[in-house]
């Protein structure tokens, strides 16, 4: 065997040893013990003996694997030692020192490789045994898990069947209630549609006339004033004050009465408070509808009268009579079934022979928390028309709605009272905390409160009636037309005075123009006279021996030059000055005339608007 062959064999042996070193430990490392606890739990108690048998085989396999691993580690240590010896011998070979010991070492390496290979095969067999045991155990666990899943599914299906049965019963009951509500709603709608107009046939006409006044004032009249004066002194006359007047004017049933309104979020108890005012706890008095669910509410006006009557106003502003039996059928659940109830009823109007309602009008509203735009607009109407607003809070809610505060701040200019309702459901200390929170929130928002009232179903009625009776009716809403008329008269006087001043100014300009024309003519006459005088100074002289000539003396020449100088300087300057003054005065006269004519047009247009407003007001 030559040196080259020996070196190749040695190098191959070294490479094989290195590869075996790096590959074989990973194989051992990847052998994981069976997770006995988790897998055994899935096995039924009935199969404990089988489980023990599998566990024993697993332990035996693990012990055998550990034994093989120890053998491998010893053999690996021996291989490393052999490799070190081979390294030394290779170096000797490379240096030319080759002997028989090299061949022996190569044979030993070959034997060592065979042992390693045998160990790897034993280890692979052990892995297969472990895997087989694990698969059998998993299969058994899967069988029991499948049986357990079937049992759970059966129980689940049984439970679902019971739930479905209960749901069907509930749905059937709800359908029955819903059908009953729909029947009541249908009956209510039929009676509303067949309701008689009654004696109040002027309601629709009144609405039209009030709308005519509002539309003309806020559009044509305002534009006319803006055009005539280039300003609006009081925007409220054309916005807030006009709107307040229109609302009160249309609702003649509250005219001359102190108007209060109860507002609050759903379930605050405002309708229950109004019912106590109506009935004075008399169970025979028909009450306003109170529902258990949030529904589309209808604003309801209640006023004192000589007899009890039930009416409603349609969206077309026709007032109709409602029978008492029909009104008794009304509740908020029924109204909630009638989608688009606002297309039939705009609001209820009730009168009661009730001493508590003498000179008083009470309004129950949809409340601030409604997302319905119509409800929000009606609430704003209430804020504008009432003399005082009673904001009802449920003590159990204890919060203040931010959107409600915004409406209050933007629109309420009247006294505000806070009613903390249902105080009998809380301890006094808790009620105090709720009131403190409401006070702080409103104070931080800059909302002024005239008084706080604690109330409940057990409270005496005087707790709420005393603050109501202390409220005074605001007469300013009904004085709107007088204020508007006074404002128009003031503007008319101002415009008339301005027109007189403009007329006087244009007359002065015209008079000055005439005076300047006279001055201009005088300057022309003086210039003409001076020219005539200058023309007469040279005079014709007769001579015997020559032709006649125009001659002048030295003094006459001096007079002529003076006249010519006067004409060329003084007269011409005076003439130019007079002409320029006429041009300027003519311009000023034109401006004065244009201003007068413009003011005169504005005065005529303004008077036409005022006459139209007076006519519309007279037709009310």
């Amino acid at each position: 065997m030559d040196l080259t062959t020996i070196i190749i064999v040695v190098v191959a042996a070294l490479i094989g040893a290195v590869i075996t070193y790096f590959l074989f430990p990973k194989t051992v490392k990847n052998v994981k013990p069976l997770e006995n606890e988790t897998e055994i739990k899935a096995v039924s108690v009935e199969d404990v003996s089988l489980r023990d048998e599998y566990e024993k085989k697993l332990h035996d396999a693990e012990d055998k694997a550990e034994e093989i691993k120890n053998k491998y580690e010893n053999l690996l240590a021996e291989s490393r030692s052999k490799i070190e010896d081979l390294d030394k011998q290779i170096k000797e070979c490379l240096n030319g020192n080759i002997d028989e010991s090299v061949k022996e070492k190569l044979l030993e390496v070959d034997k060592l490789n065979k042992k390693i290979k045998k160990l790897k095969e034993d280890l692979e067999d052990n892995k297969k045994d472990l895997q087989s045991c694990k698969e059998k155990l998993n299969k058994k666990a899967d069988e029991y898990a499948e049986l357990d899943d079937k049992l759970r599914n059966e129980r689940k299906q049984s439970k679902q069947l019971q739930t479905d049965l209960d749901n069907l019963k509930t749905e059937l009951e709800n359908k029955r209630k819903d059908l009953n509500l729909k029947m009541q709603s249908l009956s209510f709608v039929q009676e509303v549609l067949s309701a008689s107009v009654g004696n109040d046939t002027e309601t629709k006409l009144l609405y039209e006339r009030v709308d005519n006044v509002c539309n003309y004032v806020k559009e044509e009249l305002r534009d006319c004033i803006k055009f005539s004066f280039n300003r609006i002194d009081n925007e409220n006359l054309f916005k807030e004050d006009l709107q307040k007047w229109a609302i009160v004017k249309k609702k003649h049933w509250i005219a001359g009465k102190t108007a209060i309104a109860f507002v609050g979020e759903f379930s605050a108890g405002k309708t229950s408070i109004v019912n106590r005012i109506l009935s004075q706890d008399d169970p025979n008095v028909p009450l306003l509808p109170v529902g258990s669910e949030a529904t589309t509410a209808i604003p309801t006006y209640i006023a004192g009268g000589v007899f009890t009557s039930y009416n409603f106003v349609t969206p077309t502003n026709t007032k109709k009579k409602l029978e008492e039996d029909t009104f008794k059928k009304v509740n908020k659940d029924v109204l909630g079934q009638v989608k688009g109830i606002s297309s039939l009823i705009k609001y209820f109007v009730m009168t009661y022979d009730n001493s508590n309602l003498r000179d008083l009008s009470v309004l129950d509203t949809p409340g601030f928390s409604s997302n319905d735009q119509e409800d929000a607009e009606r609430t704003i109407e209430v804020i504008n028309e009432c003399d005082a607003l009673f904001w009802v809070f449920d003590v159990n809610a204890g919060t203040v709605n931010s959107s409600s505060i915004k409406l209050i701040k933007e629109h309420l200019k009247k006294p505000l009272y806070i009613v903390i309702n249902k105080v009998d459901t809380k301890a006094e200390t808790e009620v105090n905390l709720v009131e403190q929170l409401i006070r702080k929130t409103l104070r931080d928002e800059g909302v002024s409160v005239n008084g706080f009232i604690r109330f409940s179903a057990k409270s005496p009625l005087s707790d709420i009636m005393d603050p109501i009776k202390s409220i005074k009716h605001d007469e300013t809403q009904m004085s709107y037309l007088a204020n508007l008329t006074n404002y128009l008269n003031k503007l008319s006087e101002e415009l008339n005075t301005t027109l007189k001043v403009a007329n006087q100014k244009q007359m002065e300009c015209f008079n000055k123009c005439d005076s300047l024309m006279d001055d201009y003519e005088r300057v022309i006459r003086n210039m003409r006279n001076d020219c005539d005088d200058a023309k007469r100074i040279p005079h014709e002289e007769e001579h015997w021996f020559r032709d006649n000539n125009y001659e002048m003396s030295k003094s006459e020449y001096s007079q002529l030059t003076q006249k010519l100088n006067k004409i060329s300087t003084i007269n011409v300057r005076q003439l130019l000055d007079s002409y320029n003054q006429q041009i300027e005065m003519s311009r000023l006269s034109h401006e004065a005339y244009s201003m007068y004519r413009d003011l005169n047009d504005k005065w005529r247009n303004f008077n036409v608007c005022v006459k139209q407003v007076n006519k519309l007001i007279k037709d009310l």
Side-chain angles (χ1 to χ4, degrees):
M1 182 180 297
D2 58 3
L3 179 61
T4 302
T5 304
I6 294 173
I7 292 173
I8 291 173
V9 171
V10 172
V11 171
L14 288 174
I15 293 173
V18 171
I19 291 172
T20 303
Y21 175 76
F22 284 106
L23 291 180
F24 194 70
K26 292 183 180 179
T27 305
V28 176
K29 184 178 180 181
N30 288 332
V31 178
K32 295 183 180 179
L34 186 65
E35 297 177 359
N36 293 325
E37 291 184 3
T38 304
E39 296 172 354
I40 291 173
K41 287 180 181 178
V43 182
S44 171
V45 177
E46 299 175 359
D47 218 10
V48 173
S49 59
L50 180 61
R51 181 192 62 188
D52 292 340
E53 180 182 351
Y54 281 130
E55 285 183 353
K56 185 176 181 305
K57 289 183 178 181
L58 285 174
H59 285 304
D60 292 342
E62 289 174 354
D63 292 340
K64 187 175 180 180
E66 186 66 26
E67 181 183 352
I68 294 173
K69 180 180 177 182
N70 292 334
K71 288 181 180 180
Y72 166 74
E73 289 177 351
N74 293 332
L75 185 58
L76 184 59
E78 183 181 353
S79 298
R80 289 174 180 170
S81 176
K82 295 291 184 181
I83 289 170
E84 289 176 359
D85 292 340
L86 286 173
D87 285 338
K88 292 178 182 180
Q89 292 179 12
I90 288 171
K91 289 179 181 179
E92 291 293 332
C93 291
L94 293 175
N95 293 329
N97 300 322
I98 301 174
D99 54 18
E100 291 296 327
S101 63
V102 173
K103 296 181 180 180
E104 294 178 359
K105 295 296 183 182
L106 291 175
L107 291 174
E108 291 179 2
V109 169
D110 185 56
K111 293 178 180 179
L112 185 60
N113 283 334
K114 291 181 179 179
K115 290 182 179 180
I116 291 173
K117 183 178 180 181
K118 181 65 170 61
L119 286 174
K120 284 177 66 177
E121 291 174 352
D122 293 342
L123 189 60
E124 287 295 328
D125 292 340
N126 187 53
K127 281 178 61 179
K128 290 179 180 178
D129 292 340
L130 285 173
Q131 183 64 30
S132 176
C133 291
K134 186 175 180 181
E135 289 176 354
K136 290 179 180 179
L137 189 61
N138 288 339
K139 184 177 180 181
K140 200 69 175 178
D142 290 341
E143 291 176 357
Y144 283 100
E146 183 179 357
L147 291 174
D148 190 50
D149 289 341
K150 288 181 179 179
L151 179 60
R152 283 198 299 269
N153 289 334
E154 291 294 333
R155 290 175 178 173
K156 184 177 180 181
Q157 289 177 5
S158 177
K159 186 177 180 180
Q160 183 62 42
L161 287 174
Q162 184 62 40
T163 302
D164 292 343
L165 181 60
D166 293 339
N167 290 339
L168 286 174
K169 290 180 180 179
T170 303
E171 184 179 358
L172 182 61
E173 180 64 19
N174 291 337
K175 291 290 185 182
R176 187 188 65 78
K177 292 180 179 179
D178 186 54
L179 180 60
N180 186 41
L181 278 176
K182 289 185 183 299
M183 294 298 294
Q184 294 181 48
S185 302
L186 180 61
S187 174
F188 173 71
V189 170
Q190 288 175 340
E191 293 180 23
V192 166
L193 292 174
S194 61
S196 60
V197 175
N199 297 325
D200 191 14
T201 57
E202 295 296 321
T203 301
K204 186 174 183 178
L205 183 59
L206 174 63
Y207 270 69
E208 291 177 355
R209 290 172 175 174
V210 172
D211 287 338
N212 288 338
V213 173
C214 290
N215 293 334
Y216 192 84
V217 169
K218 70 182 179 182
E219 293 177 5
E220 282 85 351
L221 180 61
R222 185 184 180 280
D223 291 341
C224 180
I225 294 174
K226 183 73 173 178
F227 171 74
S228 300
F229 297 90
N230 294 323
R231 74 178 195 274
I232 297 293
D233 296 326
N234 187 358
E235 284 286 359
N236 286 338
L237 278 175
F238 306 94
K239 293 181 180 178
E240 294 180 6
D241 292 348
L242 176 63
Q243 185 182 24
K244 293 176 183 178
W245 168 82
I247 290 171
V248 176
K249 185 66 177 177
K250 289 177 179 179
K251 301 169 183 176
H252 56 84
W253 51 86
I254 65 174
K257 295 182 179 181
T258 300
I260 65 167
F262 284 90
V263 299
E265 298 185 22
F266 168 68
S267 195
K270 58 185 183 299
T271 303
S272 298
I273 295 175
V274 174
N275 279 333
R276 286 199 64 191
I277 297 173
L278 294 183
S279 66
Q280 293 200 38
D281 300 325
D282 182 354
N284 297 319
V285 175
L287 302 178
L288 301 182
V290 180
S292 59
E293 299 178 357
T295 58
T296 301
I298 298 177
T300 305
Y301 291 87
I302 307 102
V306 296
F307 57 88
T308 299
S309 66
Y310 308 92
N311 305 276
F312 67 91
V313 177
T314 69
T316 58
N317 304 318
T318 300
K319 188 177 178 183
K320 293 187 175 184
K321 185 178 180 180
L322 198 65
E323 296 299 328
E324 182 173 333
D325 290 340
T326 302
F327 178 72
K328 288 180 178 179
K329 295 178 183 178
V330 179
N331 62 65
K332 290 187 178 179
D333 294 327
V334 170
L335 295 178
Q337 289 290 318
V338 185
K339 303 304 180 183
I341 186 65
S342 58
S343 64
L344 298 176
I345 300 175
K346 194 172 184 180
Y347 31 72
F348 286 119
V349 179
M350 314 296 181
T351 58
Y352 286 83
D353 184 10
N354 186 326
S355 59
N356 272 342
L357 297 177
R358 188 169 299 138
D359 299 325
L360 179 66
S361 175
V362 181
L363 175 58
D364 182 29
T365 70
F368 285 138
S369 60
S370 173
N371 293 322
D372 188 273
Q373 182 62 29
E374 291 184 4
D375 286 350
E377 291 175 357
R378 288 169 182 163
T379 302
I380 293 174
E381 281 189 16
V382 171
I383 292 176
N384 287 326
E385 74 188 28
C386 67
D387 294 306
L389 192 68
F390 287 76
W391 192 352
V392 182
F393 286 91
D394 184 348
V395 71
N396 298 288
T399 57
V400 182
N401 187 284
S402 58
S403 61
S404 304
I405 293 178
K406 183 179 179 182
L407 281 174
I408 287 287
K409 291 174 66 175
E410 289 181 356
H411 300 282
L412 184 65
K413 309 298 180 185
K414 304 296 178 62
L416 173 66
Y417 292 84
I418 301 298
V419 181
I420 303 177
N421 198 23
K422 305 178 184 180
V423 294
D424 57 334
T425 62
K426 290 281 188 181
E428 185 176 359
T429 53
E430 294 182 86
V431 176
N432 292 336
L433 291 175
V434 171
E435 181 175 334
Q436 290 174 9
L437 174 61
I438 296 175
R439 284 179 180 271
K440 182 180 184 304
T441 302
L442 296 178
R443 183 172 59 250
D444 293 344
E445 292 290 341
V447 177
S448 176
V449 179
N450 283 54
F452 281 79
I453 303 167
R454 296 186 180 188
F455 200 69
S456 72
K458 300 178 181 179
S459 301
L461 194 57
S462 58
D463 287 358
I464 195 74
M465 287 306 302
D466 289 344
I468 291 176
K469 291 178 179 178
S470 69
I471 297 167
K472 303 300 180 183
H473 178 52
D474 183 7
E475 299 290 345
T476 57
Q477 291 174 335
M478 300 310 297
S479 63
Y480 170 78
L481 294 180
N483 294 337
L484 178 63
T485 301
N486 292 335
Y487 177 65
L488 296 179
N489 290 337
K490 177 184 175 183
L491 292 179
S492 181
E493 292 177 1
E494 179 184 339
L495 191 58
N496 191 42
T497 300
T498 305
L499 183 63
K500 288 180 179 179
V501 171
N503 185 41
Q504 182 178 357
K505 185 176 181 180
Q506 75 153 349
M507 293 304 297
E508 289 176 355
C509 289
F510 287 146
N511 292 334
K512 286 183 180 179
C513 282
D514 292 340
S515 177
L516 288 173
M517 182 60 70
D518 293 339
D519 291 341
Y520 184 78
E521 290 177 354
R522 178 180 56 76
V523 172
I524 292 292
R525 286 196 301 271
N526 290 338
M527 179 178 282
R528 185 178 59 192
N529 292 334
D530 288 339
C531 288
D532 290 341
D533 291 341
K535 183 180 70 173
R536 287 193 292 267
I537 289 176
H539 54 278
E540 187 177 9
E541 291 288 342
E542 294 181 358
H543 295 279
W544 289 4
F545 302 106
R546 53 187 174 91
D547 293 335
N548 294 340
N549 293 322
Y550 281 92
E551 298 175 358
M552 67 184 80
S553 63
K554 186 174 181 180
S555 62
E556 288 175 336
Y557 173 75
S558 177
Q559 291 177 7
L560 179 61
T561 55
Q562 289 177 0
K563 288 290 183 183
L564 293 177
N565 285 334
K566 182 181 178 183
I567 292 170
S568 63
T569 55
I570 297 175
N571 293 130
V572 171
R573 185 172 63 252
Q574 289 178 346
L575 187 63
L576 290 174
D577 290 343
S578 178
Y579 175 78
N580 290 333
Q581 289 177 9
Q582 285 189 73
I583 293 298
E584 178 63 19
M585 190 52 61
S586 176
R587 184 185 64 80
L588 294 176
S589 297
H590 179 73
E591 289 179 356
Y593 174 72
S594 296
M595 182 178 293
Y596 170 78
R597 186 179 60 187
D598 182 58
L599 286 172
N600 192 51
D601 291 340
K602 292 178 179 179
W603 182 80
R604 283 199 304 269
N605 292 335
F606 180 74
N607 282 337
V608 169
C609 287
V610 171
K611 289 179 181 179
Q612 181 63 23
V613 170
N614 292 333
K615 180 180 181 304
L616 292 173
I617 293 174
K618 186 178 179 180
D619 291 340
L620 288 173

